[in-house]
Structures are given as structure tokens and as C-alpha cells.
């Protein structure tokens, strides 16, 4: 799982500068920690038992459902919600990357498709996928703590990229920035963005 998910990530997001490598390294650490604990050594369980005295005779669910006492029912709900967000996020990530790649090749500013809703849909998709899989579906101490760090790293990267876009496209990009949110679409447009992310590109 680590190899498969990492391959998909690097296939659609090959880091170029040191800032991109920093963000990619954080995501790689998140992926390794998540799947190592999911299928291997349950470090989170041992830490919580030793540090906080949290113990159960039988743990058959994820961290959240165990903490609130919902057991396997809570685990099933969190799995459905987590996988749904992860699938939407991966679709958004791939569609966004393809649109940017094509726009760079054509030397133009992309403002259609997903880019009508947010200025960085590939990062929004990455956040959704990581949140769904590593915070909702299978939370670990490492994944929950690392998630906001990843968001901050990519927010700073997006700000840097936008300064470059302003230098290149000037007032055209400034006007686009005024109309379209950076990472989070307006509440009424989430559903439309999710649908757009799952549609095959022509």
C-alpha cells in the first residue's frame, strides 16, 4: 500500500523546488506512518495505553469509534465517510494536476473546470484524501498531528506559486484571485466541485 499510494502521488506530483520536496516529504511520511500502523505495528494503541491508561479488552474499531464507544458501527461509518472523501480528493488531485500540466504546455492561465471553484484544486484534493484516509478512516497520533503541518506547508507553497503567477499574468491573475477562493470553495459549491472532480476529462 505504501508503494502503490506513493507511486500515484509522485506520478501526478513530481516535486521541482525545495519547497515542493518539503511538502512531498511530509506527505510521504504521512503515507508510511498511516499504512505501517494500519497493517503493521499499532504504535498509537501502545502510546495511548501507556501514557493515558486507555485500554480495552478488545479493540476492533478505529481510534475515534473506540474513544467514543461506538465500536464496529462507528468504524463502519468512519470507513464510508473516509473512503468517500479520499476518492473525491484523489479525483480532484489528478484532474487539477492534468489541467495545470496542459496549461503550462500551452502557456496559458487555466480558470475553467475545477479552477472555477478554487485556485488550487490539486492541493484541496490532496487535503481531502489525506483527511479522509488518515484522520477519519484510520486515525493515528502521527497522521492526526501531521495533517495540519501538511496543510500549512502546501498553503505556503500555493502562496509562492501565486506570486509567480502574478508576475507572469499580472492583472488577469489578480482578477481571478478576487473571484475564486484559494483552497476552500464557497459552501454552496462543494457538491458541484466534487462532481466535476469525478468526471472523465475529454
Amino acid at each position: 500500500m505504501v508503494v502503490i499510494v506513493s507511486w500515484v502521488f509522485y506520478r501526478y506530483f513530481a516535486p521541482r523546488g525545495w519547497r515542493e520536496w518539503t511538502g512531498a516529504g511530509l506527505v510521504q511520511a504521512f503515507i508510511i506512518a498511516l499504512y505501517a500502523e494500519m497493517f503493521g505495528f499499532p504504535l498509537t494503541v501502545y502510546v495511548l495505553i501507556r501514557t493515558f491508561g486507555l485500554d480495552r479488552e478488545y479493540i476492533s474499531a478505529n481510534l475515534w469509534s473506540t474513544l467514543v464507544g461506538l465500536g464496529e458501527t462507528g468504524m463502519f461509518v468512519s470507513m464510508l465517510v473516509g473512503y468517500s472523501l479520499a476518492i473525491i480528493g484523489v479525483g480532484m488531485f489528478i484532474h487539477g494536476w492534468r489541467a495545470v500540466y496542459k496549461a503550462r504546455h500551452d502557456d496559458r492561465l487555466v480558470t475553467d473546470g475545477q479552477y472555477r471553484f478554487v485556485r488550487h484544486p490539486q492541493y484541496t484534493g490532496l487535503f481531502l484524501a489525506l483527511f479522509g484516509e488518515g484522520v477519519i478512516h484510520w486515525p493515528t497520533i502521527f497522521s492526526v498531528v501531521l495533517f495540519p503541518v501538511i496543510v500549512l506547508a502546501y498553503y505556503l507553497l500555493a502562496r509562492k506559486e501565486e506570486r509567480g503567477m502574478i508576475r507572469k499574468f499580472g492583472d488577469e491573475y489578480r482578477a481571478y484571485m478576487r473571484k475564486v477562493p484559494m483552497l476552500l470553495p464557497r459552501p454552496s459549491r462543494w457538491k458541484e466541485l466534487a462532481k466535476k472532480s469525478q468526471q472523465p476529462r475529454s
Side-chain angles (χ1 to χ4, degrees):
M1 287 304 299
V2 169
V3 171
I4 291 170
V5 175
S6 299
W7 181 87
V8 171
F9 176 69
Y10 285 107
R11 166 67 176 82
Y12 289 100
F13 184 67
R16 292 173 297 166
W18 71 268
R19 286 181 183 272
E20 289 188 7
W21 273 108
T22 300
L26 289 171
V27 173
Q28 184 70 59
F30 184 98
I31 292 168
I32 292 171
L34 173 67
Y35 288 108
E37 286 210 44
M38 184 182 293
F39 299 114
F41 184 70
L43 179 64
T44 296
V45 174
Y46 287 110
V47 169
L48 290 177
I49 290 173
R50 291 291 185 184
T51 307
F52 301 104
L54 174 68
D55 200 358
R56 298 289 187 273
E57 291 183 3
Y58 178 65
I59 297 177
S60 61
N62 75 2
L63 180 62
W64 301 134
S65 56
T66 299
L67 289 175
V68 299
L70 293 178
E72 292 187 2
T73 301
M75 173 63 183
F76 181 71
V77 171
S78 66
M79 182 179 69
L80 290 179
V81 173
Y83 276 146
S84 297
L85 289 178
I87 290 169
I88 292 171
V90 169
M92 195 180 302
F93 181 81
I94 293 173
H95 278 62
W97 180 87
R98 285 177 175 170
V100 166
Y101 181 83
K102 191 173 187 306
R104 284 177 181 167
H105 183 266
D106 298 338
D107 195 27
R108 65 177 179 86
L109 176 64
V110 56
T111 58
D112 57 350
Q114 294 179 321
Y115 287 82
R116 292 186 294 120
F117 310 106
V118 286
R119 302 196 300 269
H120 300 274
Q122 71 277 29
Y123 296 157
T124 304
L126 178 64
F127 299 156
L128 277 179
L130 296 181
F131 184 77
E133 185 68 357
V135 178
I136 294 181
H137 172 221
W138 199 262
T140 68
I141 291 174
F142 194 84
S143 64
V144 171
V145 170
L146 190 56
F147 178 75
V149 179
I150 292 173
V151 171
L152 176 62
Y154 278 95
Y155 169 76
L156 295 175
L157 178 60
R159 291 283 298 271
K160 176 181 178 291
E161 290 175 349
E162 290 195 335
R163 289 193 292 271
M165 297 298 284
I166 290 173
R167 286 193 297 269
K168 185 172 183 177
F169 294 101
D171 290 339
E172 183 182 3
Y173 195 78
R174 290 190 184 93
Y176 173 64
M177 291 175 70
R178 287 193 293 270
K179 292 190 300 183
V180 178
M182 185 179 193
L183 293 166
L184 296 176
R186 295 179 178 88
S188 61
R189 310 205 76 181
W190 268 107
K191 186 176 181 180
E192 197 175 352
L193 174 59
K195 286 183 179 179
K196 194 74 177 175
S197 303
Q198 305 309 309
Q199 293 174 356
R201 291 185 62 85
S202 55

